[in-house]
Amino acid sequence: MTNTQKLRRGRLRLHIQVADILRDKIIGGEFSTSTPLPTETELMRDFGVSRTVVRQAMQSIETLGLVRRIAGKGTFVRDSSQYPFEGWSINSAADLVRYGTQTKLEILDRLEVPAPREVADALTIEPNTLVSKIRAVRSSGQGRFAYQINYALLDIGRRVAAQPIISSMLLAYQEHGLVELLHLRQAISAVAADNHVAKILEVSEGDPLLQFEWSMIATNGCPATFSHVFFRSDRYRHVTKLLPGAG
């Protein structure tokens, strides 16, 4: 595997480019789940980069939930069949990426609009400040199951909107080096479908929906994006894993 020629010096940071190439190969099935990925030394040679760059790239794809490390054996690709659609567990950035790569996103429109009060508060900007707004519908084999409205600070939104294909908003923000993610804030509530959302998700007005609010917080501690996502309750099941901890 020789990828040195694919790296663009002076553009995206090298570890992001290496992580992108590895991610694409993993999603494309080029690596077996039973064989360890190349070692750090092999990746350094193949990409022509330092050990630090390789380690940052590997940390990135591990954070995305694409690989797992086994002590004494190496780093292995996770079996994607472990994450069936019927039981999503969106409790981390890695879960959002899996959700994005295993379903289909259809962009409805990309606009620049004055920020409504709720959006302005979420992004800590003045009301009516111009922001990027991307509306989209997500589908699985069962059909449409989610309608999302994504708001981003204008400079970030413009660069994402320029991309012809977006499989995951989170991926789009990260893979172009637009946001260094610190964490995601998630809030969940139950709402009734209004006429507009009901038509998009092909349900009846008043049907129950799960509403998620996601805020992406950058490493500087400031919000960078804010999203509303409405899920059909008959096609989406939210699963949470609770771990034992100190009482």
Side-chain angles (χ1 to χ4, degrees):
M1 181 180 70
T2 302
N3 298 290
T4 306
Q5 72 278 5
K6 295 184 179 179
L7 302 186
R8 297 164 293 175
R9 306 281 170 170
R11 300 193 65 177
L12 284 180
R13 280 166 288 185
L14 292 178
H15 76 274
I16 294 176
Q17 295 184 57
V18 172
D20 283 350
I21 292 171
L22 291 175
R23 188 198 72 225
D24 290 344
K25 288 181 177 293
I26 290 169
I27 293 174
E30 294 189 32
F31 293 117
S32 166
T33 57
S34 60
T35 304
L37 267 63
T39 64
E40 285 186 355
T41 300
E42 290 170 332
L43 291 173
M44 289 166 57
R45 179 198 64 214
D46 293 340
F47 285 101
V49 296
S50 69
R51 189 176 300 276
T52 298
V53 168
V54 168
R55 287 181 174 175
Q56 289 176 320
M58 294 299 288
Q59 179 61 51
S60 177
I61 62 173
E62 184 177 15
T63 299
L64 293 177
L66 297 174
V67 299
R68 59 193 176 94
R69 301 190 190 198
I70 301 178
K73 294 184 177 181
T75 301
F76 293 80
V77 174
R78 286 185 179 275
D79 183 354
S80 61
S81 66
Q82 297 173 6
Y83 310 105
F85 168 74
E86 288 77 13
W88 286 115
S89 176
I90 300 182
N91 300 296
S92 68
D95 294 333
L96 275 173
V97 171
R98 284 193 291 272
Y99 157 85
T101 56
Q102 295 176 19
T103 57
K104 180 182 178 181
L105 186 69
E106 173 191 354
I107 303 297
L108 299 178
D109 51 41
R110 312 174 194 226
L111 307 170
E112 293 184 1
V113 301
R117 167 66 68 176
E118 178 187 28
V119 175
D121 290 345
L123 295 177
T124 62
I125 57 177
E126 290 296 319
N128 296 318
T129 300
L130 206 59
V131 294
S132 177
K133 177 182 178 181
I134 300 177
R135 296 190 312 127
V137 175
R138 192 170 290 280
S139 303
S140 70
Q142 297 174 304
R144 291 183 170 187
F145 72 92
Y147 168 57
Q148 59 192 70
I149 309 171
N150 306 283
Y151 294 93
L153 298 177
L154 201 57
D155 57 334
I156 297 172
R158 283 177 173 172
R159 292 174 64 186
V160 169
Q163 306 306 314
I165 299 175
I166 302 174
S167 62
S168 161
M169 296 306 300
L170 176 61
L171 275 178
Y173 295 134
Q174 287 194 298
E175 70 184 355
H176 298 291
L178 303 180
V179 177
E180 287 287 343
L181 178 64
L182 176 63
H183 67 263
L184 291 170
R185 178 183 178 275
Q186 174 175 272
I188 308 173
S189 56
V191 298
D194 63 24
N195 182 261
H196 174 67
V197 176
K199 288 181 178 178
I200 291 175
L201 290 180
E202 301 167 344
V203 297
S204 298
E205 186 174 358
D207 277 1
L209 302 175
L210 277 176
Q211 176 185 251
F212 282 56
E213 292 180 358
W214 286 322
S215 296
M216 181 183 289
I217 311 300
T219 50
N220 63 4
C222 297
T225 70
F226 175 71
S227 302
H228 275 300
V229 187
F230 300 91
F231 290 97
R232 282 184 54 152
S233 57
D234 61 335
R235 292 181 178 173
Y236 177 89
R237 184 162 62 97
H238 185 70
V239 180
T240 299
K241 181 187 293 184
L242 301 179
L243 302 176

